[in-house]
Amino acid sequence: MKKKPVLLLLALFLAGLVPGTGAALEEDRKLDPPKVILIGLDAVSLNIVEPLAAAGALPTLDRLMKEGATGDHRSIWPLRTPQVWTTLVTGKYPGQHGIWDHYSDTKYSPPEFRKKKRTRLTTENRRSKALWNILDDAGIQVMSVGWIASWPAEKLEHGVMLAPPVRIDPAKQVSIKGSFWRDVGQQVQPKSLWPRVKETIVEGSDLSDEDLKAFADVPPAGSPILSLPYIKNYVRALRWSVARARSVEALTLGFQAEVRPELLLFYFQCSDSLLHRFWIFQKPEAEIVERLDTHGIPTKHAAELKARFGRVVQACYEDMDARIGRILEATRGEETLVLVVSDHGFGEAPFPHPRKTEPYGGNHRDDGLLIAAAPWIEKGSRLPQTHVLDLAPTLLHLFGQPLAKDMPGKVLGELLSPEAKAREPRTIPSYEKKPQTKIPYRDGWPARRFRPLAEDR
């Protein structure tokens, strides 16, 4: 079936000439599913996923692992979210693509790149093309929803970008991962979609305490729990994390049918932001007491903290799993390659806990995960260790595009369809005007002095 230009399809949809519900839409979905669905999960690793899946808590991820291949996914130092996710979609190191952190003034930017004034690092600071730019130039339709470090939304001739901004105002910022806001511009391309997107966005203030019941028993106003360090702000962040996840699901399901992307990307972040805030409360009460004591926090509230917030971690994973399941049900075709990928892992923190600003949190791990499911991938198999640099060249080859010689990663043959395996890879010097062959700070900045704790699975 020949695709209609995406803007024409959207115009027809808005005019009511393309069905938006019912059996006709179900048939449309079956006719033209995405070729690749790329699902980003922040700070997810097998040390958490495998036990939860074995316990029946993650039916979607468990099914994907059984249908396909699973493995550890190596990251880059220093495990900063914008660095790694930008590396994943560009196939370049930060020294090439130019995104070092969320902001311009932090210690994670090498001195010559650091600015005295704090500004957000955005797509306007990125020096390398992302997958959506490269594939769009080749006439391939892409839809990206909630992808980290994708704001302002970039114009695509053949696709749709729905990009969450990061608020720099401390009074409004709830997550440095970015959220969808009704009062912030440049979140959507094409811009004509903004009225529909604005109506679909879910904000934290839209949610009641009842909406958070699956995650936590929110303390009532005046509770002494809310006077403990950071707890009040953490509850606000929980509210926004749930709202953001609802926005990502609603926007993906609300637009994918008429866009019919060949590459669909969407991203969930609670598995990082909430585990930095609530990790310790899932542990036995004695461990909670020990953690509170090391941070000078009254230990008499340990039991109540566990009762109120002890299920946040598992509930986050269950929520992501359910949303992924609903999206795949609406989008996945028989020949679709489904990739679930993370930027790094998460687990136990060293003792004594080192982060004074995150007294209840866990710690990053080097290895994230990669799950790949498609008819040509061996069921229940184990992938050799992959790297975040490998996804961009692999997807370019799968879509029939040349590999850039200034992309340091490799094509993962285990993920390729038989058709893609039969093609000889083509190469070009670069997708940039000038090849990015120099890679300053390949090993990251600042220099590594320790390794995140690697738990046994």
Side-chain angles (χ1 to χ4, degrees):
M1 175 181 173
K2 187 176 180 179
K3 292 180 178 293
K4 297 177 184 178
V6 67
L7 295 183
L8 175 58
L9 260 175
L10 290 170
L12 291 173
F13 183 88
L14 294 173
L17 299 178
V18 175
T21 58
L25 178 54
E26 292 303 318
E27 184 61 25
D28 282 351
R29 287 171 176 168
K30 294 173 185 175
L31 286 173
D32 212 5
K35 191 172 186 177
V36 178
I37 299 175
L38 181 59
I39 304 167
L41 304 180
D42 207 293
V44 169
S45 43
L46 292 172
N47 59 297
I48 299 176
V49 167
E50 287 183 327
L52 288 177
L58 306 178
T60 303
L61 293 181
D62 186 49
R63 184 169 63 252
L64 290 173
M65 288 190 289
K66 289 175 178 175
E67 291 176 358
T70 307
D72 292 321
H73 195 53
R74 181 52 55 104
S75 191
I76 57 171
W77 180 254
L79 308 180
R80 298 298 292 173
T81 295
Q83 279 194 24
V84 184
W85 287 111
T86 303
T87 289
L88 191 144
V89 295
T90 61
K92 306 284 185 69
Y93 281 101
Q96 296 169 291
H97 62 61
I99 302 298
W100 297 95
D101 202 1
H102 301 277
Y103 302 115
S104 61
D105 64 337
T106 74
K107 66 180 181 180
Y108 298 104
S109 295
E112 63 266 40
F113 294 94
R114 201 176 306 166
K115 306 290 178 63
K116 289 184 178 180
K117 183 179 180 181
R118 167 161 290 203
T119 58
R120 288 176 291 192
L121 294 178
T122 72
T123 53
E124 294 171 350
N125 302 106
R126 199 185 69 230
R127 300 196 302 250
S128 306
K129 288 185 177 181
L131 278 170
W132 48 78
N133 307 119
I134 297 170
L135 296 178
D136 185 67
D137 289 344
I140 295 168
Q141 290 180 192
V142 179
M143 179 173 168
S144 173
V145 184
W147 202 262
I148 197 75
S150 65
W151 184 91
E154 297 177 274
K155 185 177 180 180
L156 303 179
E157 295 297 328
H158 306 281
V160 169
M161 292 288 298
L162 301 167
V166 175
R167 307 286 302 241
I168 199 168
D169 179 359
K172 292 186 176 181
Q173 179 187 317
V174 290
S175 173
I176 54 176
K177 308 295 184 187
S179 298
F180 288 101
W181 302 78
R182 299 190 189 103
D183 64 337
V184 179
Q186 299 179 281
Q187 295 181 71
V188 184
Q189 285 288 353
K191 295 178 181 179
S192 59
L193 298 180
W194 175 239
R196 279 180 61 198
V197 171
K198 189 175 182 179
E199 289 180 0
T200 306
I201 285 173
V202 181
E203 292 192 348
S205 57
D206 299 331
L207 304 184
S208 67
D209 289 351
E210 190 66 27
D211 291 316
L212 305 182
K213 276 291 186 184
F215 294 81
D217 180 11
V218 176
S223 167
I225 294 294
L226 294 176
S227 65
L228 295 176
Y230 301 103
I231 291 293
K232 189 173 182 179
N233 284 340
Y234 286 3
V235 170
R236 181 168 174 258
L238 169 61
R239 194 178 308 279
W240 267 96
S241 183
V242 176
R244 188 196 193 282
R246 289 191 179 188
S247 291
V248 168
E249 180 184 358
L251 291 168
T252 303
L253 294 178
F255 288 89
Q256 61 82 28
E258 67 257 37
V259 177
R260 290 181 178 171
E262 294 174 75
L263 172 62
L264 171 63
L265 308 89
F266 58 92
Y267 161 93
F268 291 112
Q269 55 82 43
C270 76
S271 41
D272 186 73
S273 63
L274 295 186
L275 274 62
H276 275 295
R277 294 174 166 110
F278 296 102
W279 174 265
I280 196 63
F281 301 133
Q282 66 180 319
K283 300 295 181 179
E285 188 176 332
E287 291 187 36
I288 300 174
V289 168
E290 188 175 41
R291 175 70 70 84
L292 297 177
D293 189 53
T294 63
H295 286 275
I297 299 171
T299 60
K300 64 181 180 180
H301 300 293
E304 185 176 357
L305 286 166
K306 180 174 177 61
R308 290 190 179 278
F309 302 118
R311 61 185 181 273
V312 170
V313 171
Q314 181 165 331
C316 158
Y317 273 77
E318 291 173 343
D319 185 70
M320 292 191 303
D321 188 85
R323 295 185 192 282
I324 293 167
R326 290 190 290 267
I327 293 172
L328 290 181
E329 185 178 2
T331 59
R332 188 183 184 188
E334 291 182 2
E335 298 297 315
T336 299
L337 171 61
V338 178
L339 298 174
V340 181
V341 63
S342 63
D343 53 339
H344 53 74
F346 207 92
E348 298 288 357
F351 182 84
H353 183 265
R355 295 180 183 271
K356 299 300 183 184
T357 57
E358 297 176 4
Y360 320 115
N363 194 47
H364 287 176
R365 291 163 48 104
D366 275 346
D367 290 345
L369 64 70
L370 177 62
I371 303 171
W376 55 84
I377 294 176
E378 183 182 352
K379 294 181 183 298
S381 59
R382 206 74 174 182
L383 288 168
Q385 189 172 72
T386 56
H387 195 282
V388 292
L389 287 162
D390 299 334
L391 262 292
T394 300
L395 291 178
L396 287 175
H397 183 61
L398 195 148
F399 280 103
Q401 303 307 304
L403 310 179
K405 291 182 179 179
D406 60 354
M407 288 184 177
K410 65 181 183 296
V411 172
L412 300 173
E414 298 87 356
L415 307 189
L416 298 181
S417 64
E419 177 191 5
K421 280 184 179 179
R423 288 196 308 263
E424 282 295 324
R426 296 180 292 133
T427 60
I428 58 174
S430 179
Y431 281 100
E432 319 307 327
K433 293 181 179 178
K434 182 179 180 181
Q436 297 175 317
T437 54
K438 292 183 180 180
I439 309 177
Y441 305 102
R442 182 190 290 260
D443 295 328
W445 179 272
R448 189 166 196 165
R449 297 177 182 175
F450 66 95
R451 299 187 72 82
L453 184 66
E455 301 173 330
D456 293 329
R457 288 203 304 274

